[in-house]
Amino acid sequence: DIKQEFELSKQALKDLDQITRVPHLLIEIRSLGFVEIQGKDTGGVYGKLDQWFKEHWHLEDKTVDMMETCNEGQDCGCCGFSTCYTMIELQEHHKLCEKSYSMGYVTIYGVGSNNHNLYKARGYEGENNMGKLTMQLAQFLTHECGWTLQVCDSGNLGWKGEIREQQMKFKAPHPLNMIAPLVMIELRQVGYIEVNGEDKDNIFEKLGSFFKTAWRASQIQNDPHYCDLKFETSAFKKRGSEGENNMGLRTMQLVDFMVKQ
C-alpha cells in the first residue's frame, strides 16, 4: 500500500531528524518547470522562501501531478483493465519532497507552463539562465537568511541532455554569510565561460585578465537575462569516443587562481 509505505518512511525520517544536530536544506531547480525543497524548516525558512519565490519568481504551489490511473472499463474480456496517465490532485502520500512549486500552472503533459518565462533556454549549444537563477536564490538564502551554501551541482537528463536540473545544498545559518560575496563560474565545453554573481573587489576584471592570459579567451557581449559576464575560448579540449576531455584540468587551474590570487 503506497500510503502505508509513505507513513512508515515519514516516521523513519522524523526519527532521524530528531537526532540531527546541524540542519540542512536541499533546493532543486528543474528546467521542466519545478522548484523542490527538502530539509528542516529552521528559523521559518520555508515561509521566507515561499514569499520570495512567489514575489520574485512568480512560482505557484504545486497541487496537481500526472499519475498512472486505471481506466474505468475493461479493454476486452481477456486483457482486463488498462492504465493511462492523467492529472489528479496531489495527495500527501504522493509527494516526493517537502515542498514543491511550479513555474506557472502544470500542463496536461505534467510540466510547468513557465508562462512567466522564468527559465530561459535557446540555441543548440545549451545556453540557458540556470546559473543566473541559482545565484539569485543563493544570494537570498545567504545574504538575507544567513544560510551557508555548501554544495552546488547540476545534471542533464533527456535523450539529448536537454533537461537541466540544479541542486543547491545549504547548511545551518551563520552570521558571516550575510556579508560573504558569491560568484558562480560555468565552464561550457562548447567554448564559453559564463560568470554570475557580485562584482565584489573587482573580481570580474581579475577573472577577465586570467581568462585572457591563461586561456586566450576573449570577452563577448553577454545577455543580462542569461549571465553577468561571458567569454569565448578554445581552451576546452576533447577527443575519442569515451568522453575524454580537459575540463577537470581547466577547473583546477581556475580553482588555484581563485584561492591563491
Side-chain angles (χ1 to χ4, degrees), residues 192-210:
Y192 299 107
I193 305 165
E194 296 177 349
V195 183
N196 283 292
E198 303 172 77
D199 188 12
K200 192 80 171 180
D201 298 326
N202 214 22
I203 186 62
F204 282 10
E205 183 178 338
K206 295 175 183 177
L207 282 169
S209 178
F210 169 78

Side-chain angles (χ1 to χ4, degrees), residues 46-155:
Y46 274 49
K48 296 174 183 177
L49 281 167
D50 184 83
Q51 181 178 354
W52 190 86
F53 281 146
K54 293 176 179 178
E55 180 179 341
H56 292 84
W57 285 3
H58 306 290
L59 299 185
E60 301 179 12
D61 294 319
K62 185 182 178 184
T63 57
V64 296
D65 202 0
M66 180 176 286
M67 300 289 294
E68 185 177 14
T69 58
C70 182
N71 291 321
E72 294 184 1
Q74 296 188 50
D75 294 338
C76 63
C78 60
C79 297
F81 294 88
S82 62
T83 61
C84 64
Y85 286 91
T86 184
M87 300 299 297
I88 65 171
E89 185 176 349
L90 192 63
Q91 302 296 319
E92 185 68 22
H93 57 282
H94 290 152
K95 294 181 179 179
L96 301 176
C97 58
E98 302 285 354
K99 181 65 177 178
S100 182
Y101 297 89
S102 61
M103 300 177 189
Y105 62 89
V106 180
T107 71
I108 59 173
Y109 302 106
V111 299
S113 62
N114 196 28
N115 52 326
H116 292 287
N117 199 27
L118 176 66
Y119 175 76
K120 298 177 174 62
R122 64 186 178 191
Y124 301 96
E125 297 180 323
E127 186 178 14
N128 59 69
N129 71 334
M130 189 66 82
K132 187 88 171 179
L133 296 177
T134 299
M135 292 311 298
Q136 290 175 2
L137 179 56
Q139 287 170 352
F140 167 71
L141 273 170
T142 56
H143 294 176
E144 297 188 38
C145 302
W147 283 72
T148 304
L149 178 59
Q150 189 175 30
V151 177
C152 184
D153 64 1
S154 62

Side-chain angles (χ1 to χ4, degrees), residues 23-25 40 42 45 141-142 145-149 170-173 177:
H24 287 79
L25 197 65
K40 281 190 172 183
T42 303
V45 69
L141 273 170
T142 56
C145 302
W147 283 72
T148 304
L149 178 59
F170 298 86
K171 76 173 186 177
N177 295 321

Side-chain angles (χ1 to χ4, degrees), residues 144-178:
E144 297 188 38
C145 302
W147 283 72
T148 304
L149 178 59
Q150 189 175 30
V151 177
C152 184
D153 64 1
S154 62
N156 289 71
L157 306 172
W159 291 106
K160 299 180 180 179
E162 72 279 8
I163 301 174
R164 180 77 182 270
E165 295 189 350
Q166 183 89 347
Q167 288 187 338
M168 307 168 65
K169 184 180 180 183
F170 298 86
K171 76 173 186 177
H174 191 283
L176 288 179
N177 295 321
M178 299 287 189

Side-chain angles (χ1 to χ4, degrees), residues 215-228:
W215 296 352
R216 297 183 180 180
S218 57
Q219 186 171 349
I220 59 177
Q221 181 62 46
N222 67 298
D223 184 336
H225 294 102
Y226 284 75
C227 64
D228 296 323

